[in-house]
Amino acid sequence: MSARGIVRRVHLWLGLSVGALFVLTGLTGSLLVFYPAIDGALHPGLARVAADARPASWQAVYDALRRAEPGRDGAWRIEVTPDGGPIPVRYYAARETRARAFAPLMLWLEPVRLTVVRRGFWGGYATTWLYDLHYRLLLEKPGALVMGIAGIVMLAMLVSGLWAWWPRPGGWRRSLAWKREAARSRRLYDWHKWAGIGSALVLVVVAATGVLLDLPDQVHPLVARASPLFATPRLRSVPNGPPLPLDTLVDRAERALPGGALAWIETPADAHGVVRVNLALPGEPSRRFPRSNVWLDPYTGRVLAVRDARRDGGGDMLLDWLHPLHDGEAFGLAGRWLAFVSGLVPAVLFVTGLWRWRVRAKARARAR
C-alpha cells in the first residue's frame, strides 16, 4: 500500500474511533462560545434586571455579599461586566463542593438594590454542566487528561485528512472539482472534502489550543523551559485598623495600571489577605479574563505587586492567547461567530465520512 493509502486508512479509522467525540466537543464548544448570553436567557430573574444598571459602590456590593452569606469568610471574586446589569460573583471556598476540583458558589446581585437574584453551584445548572462536559467529560481532572489526549488524536485526524487529499503536482483543478451529477459516494466525498478544506485552519487552531488548555500540568513546565513564566506573588497584609473601602483600592489599582478596564475584584481570603484587582489593558486578547493584576494592602492601600500583561515574556504570552483563540474572543464578535460555526463542522465531517464509508462498504459487499 502506498504512503497516501496508509494515511487514508489511518484517517478512516481515527474518524471511526474518535469522530463521535469530535462531534460532541464541537457542538458543546459552539454553544459555549456564547454561554453567558445563553445562561442569562435561561434564567428569567436575570432578564428582569436593567441591562445597564450599575452599583453605587463596590464596597456596597461586598457588604451585600457578606449580609447574604454571613458564614462565608473567604475571598469573593466580583466580576465587573462592561455594560452593567446583574453582577456575577464567585466564592471558591464553598464547603458544599469542597470535594470537587472546581465548583464555586455562583451568585448574581441586582446592582441597585443589591439583592441576590440567582444562586447556584458551578456544574449544577445547564451551561456550567455543558462547560464541564466539553472541558473534562464530567470526570474532573482525569477527564481533562482524557480530553487532552483525545485532542491530539483529533489533530492527527485533521492532518491525515489534509495529507490524504493534498493534490499531486498538476492535480489541483481535479482535486478541487465539485461533481454535482456524480454517484452518491462522490457527492458525499465532495461535501466531506470541502467542509474539511474550508475549516481546516480554524479546526487545527481550536484543537491545538484545546489540547494545551486541557494539559496544563504537562504544557506549562515545557513552556517554562523556553521562557520563564510569571509566578503569582505570595503576599500577606498586617491588620492595622479597619480595611479601606474597595472603591479606594480600585482607584489606586487603576492609577497603577492606567488605561485598563476593570474586570474583576477579589477580596481578601482572611484578615491577612490582600485585594487583587484585575484590569484589561489595551492589546490584551481577552476582555473578560485579562492577565493584568494589581495586588494591594487592604489596610494601607499600598500597591504590593503589579503584573502588566503587555510586558509578559513569550511563554506567558502564548498561554495568555490560548483561551481567546480557542473561543474566538481574540477577534471580537466575528471571531466568536467563526468559532461557533467551526464547532458545527465536525458533525458534517463525521456524518459525510461515515455515510460514504457505509455506501462504499455496501458496494464492495454487492461486488463480492
Side-chain angles (χ1 to χ4, degrees), residues 9 115 215:
R9 186 64 59 86
T115 55
L215 302 175

Side-chain angles (χ1 to χ4, degrees), residues 16-365:
L16 293 175
S17 60
V18 300
L21 182 58
F22 196 21
V23 173
L24 175 67
T25 56
L27 295 178
T28 54
S30 286
L31 293 173
L32 289 172
V33 168
F34 296 106
Y35 92 86
I38 294 172
D39 185 65
L42 292 175
H43 293 85
L46 299 182
R48 289 193 287 268
V49 177
D52 58 349
R54 297 180 184 275
S57 79
W58 295 113
Q59 182 62 43
V61 171
Y62 179 55
D63 292 340
L65 291 170
R66 296 302 303 272
R67 289 194 300 270
E69 299 285 340
R72 303 189 190 274
D73 297 325
W76 289 91
R77 196 160 183 227
I78 304 167
E79 182 175 359
V80 182
T81 54
D83 301 321
I87 304 171
V89 184
R90 302 182 179 190
Y91 184 82
Y92 288 100
R95 55 188 174 274
E96 296 91 334
T97 55
R98 189 177 302 154
R100 295 180 56 191
F102 182 84
L105 169 66
M106 310 289 288
L107 297 180
W108 284 260
L109 296 184
E110 198 282 331
V112 178
R113 296 187 299 273
L114 296 178
T115 55
V116 176
V117 293
R118 182 181 164 202
R119 184 181 187 277
F121 288 95
W122 182 278
Y125 52 95
T127 49
T128 53
W129 181 89
L130 194 69
Y131 194 102
D132 286 344
L133 176 65
H134 175 80
Y135 181 34
R136 292 181 169 179
L137 293 175
L138 307 179
L139 298 174
E140 300 281 331
K141 195 169 183 178
L145 180 61
V146 171
M147 285 300 295
I149 295 171
I152 295 171
V153 177
M154 292 173 196
L155 277 172
M157 181 172 60
L158 291 169
V159 172
S160 63
L162 283 173
W163 187 350
W165 164 81
W166 198 264
R168 294 182 174 87
W172 282 91
R173 184 174 181 179
R174 181 169 176 268
S175 294
L176 294 172
W178 185 294
K179 297 186 177 181
R180 297 180 181 177
E181 304 301 326
R184 179 188 295 178
S185 176
R186 172 66 196 210
R187 294 199 307 272
L188 289 170
Y189 172 75
D190 285 341
W191 277 105
H192 189 80
K193 172 185 70 179
W194 278 104
I197 295 171
S199 62
L201 179 60
V202 177
L203 287 180
V204 167
V205 170
V206 170
T209 52
V211 169
L212 297 177
L213 288 168
D214 274 320
L215 302 175
D217 293 342
Q218 293 76 26
V219 170
H220 288 199
L222 292 176
V223 174
R225 290 183 182 182
S227 175
L229 300 178
F230 178 84
T232 301
R234 295 184 178 181
L235 303 169
R236 290 178 64 81
S237 62
V238 178
N240 181 21
L244 295 173
L246 282 182
D247 303 272
T248 300
L249 298 172
V250 167
D251 180 65
R252 294 187 182 185
E254 291 176 332
R255 279 186 279 159
L257 283 177
L262 184 61
W264 296 84
I265 305 168
E266 187 170 320
T267 64
D270 53 38
H272 294 278
V274 301
V275 169
R276 180 167 70 100
V277 177
N278 196 208
L279 298 160
L281 297 177
E284 288 199 67
S286 176
R287 166 60 181 83
R288 191 177 180 210
F289 296 103
R291 300 289 182 150
S292 297
N293 293 277
V294 180
W295 290 266
L296 305 105
D297 186 309
Y299 303 101
T300 65
R302 184 167 63 93
V303 173
L304 303 176
V306 175
R307 179 185 182 183
D308 185 336
R310 296 171 298 185
R311 300 179 181 177
D312 279 349
D316 278 310
M317 193 172 296
L318 169 66
L319 299 180
D320 294 350
W321 276 84
L322 291 182
H323 200 279
L325 282 175
H326 189 68
D327 67 1
E329 183 191 358
F331 303 105
L333 185 59
R336 288 187 175 276
W337 276 110
L338 183 61
F340 174 84
V341 173
S342 71
L344 307 179
V345 173
V348 176
L349 293 172
F350 181 67
V351 170
T352 55
L354 181 62
W355 193 353
R356 182 171 186 261
W357 174 69
R358 295 277 297 172
V359 168
R360 288 168 62 87
K362 289 180 180 179
R364 285 194 296 268

